[in-house]
Amino acid sequence: IKKQQQDVLGFLEANKIEFEEKDIAANEENRKWMRENVPEDSRPASGNPLPPRLFNDSRYLGDYEAFFEARENNAVYAFLGLTAPPGSKVGVRVSHSKP
């Protein structure tokens, strides 16, 4: 999980995409918000959804696998729901867990 989180955050930082981290390990409110906002069809069969999960405001975008696939297909901005002008800064929310 930690490696995936670092991968997402590193990509966002390198591309100057503003984001807000939400630590779900240390903050029960963040954990509850993430669990409530991950759609039913994107939740695991048992247990709770694990980070990292990406949102654009409260709109669920996907998990790490969806982010990775979008990055591999050069479609991260579309995945994030952002326009891709050079040097643009647009905010997204990343729910994660700090060990």
Side-chain angles (χ1 to χ4, degrees):
I1 291 174
K2 181 73 172 162
K3 184 178 183 298
Q4 292 176 352
Q5 292 170 175
Q6 290 173 333
D7 190 29
V8 171
L9 297 176
F11 179 88
L12 296 173
E13 289 169 352
N15 288 281
K16 297 179 175 57
I17 298 171
E18 288 186 16
F19 61 92
E20 179 182 357
E21 295 180 64
K22 295 289 187 178
D23 186 349
I24 65 164
N27 185 306
E28 178 62 34
E29 190 173 310
N30 288 341
R31 184 170 36 251
K32 182 180 176 192
W33 185 93
M34 183 189 82
R35 290 177 181 162
E36 290 174 352
N37 286 283
V38 171
E40 198 69 38
D41 64 346
S42 296
R43 297 179 187 189
S46 63
N48 292 307
L50 297 174
R53 299 289 173 142
L54 291 92
F55 299 84
N56 188 331
D57 292 321
S58 62
R59 184 171 58 89
Y60 180 69
L61 303 174
D63 59 9
Y64 176 77
E65 287 75 25
F67 169 81
F68 182 82
E69 185 176 317
R71 191 177 66 188
E72 290 295 304
N73 293 320
N74 293 319
V76 174
Y77 283 93
F79 169 77
L80 296 174
L82 306 174
T83 305
S88 66
K89 290 189 174 186
V90 185
V92 296
R93 177 187 307 242
V94 179
S95 293
H96 68 93
S97 174
K98 290 184 180 175

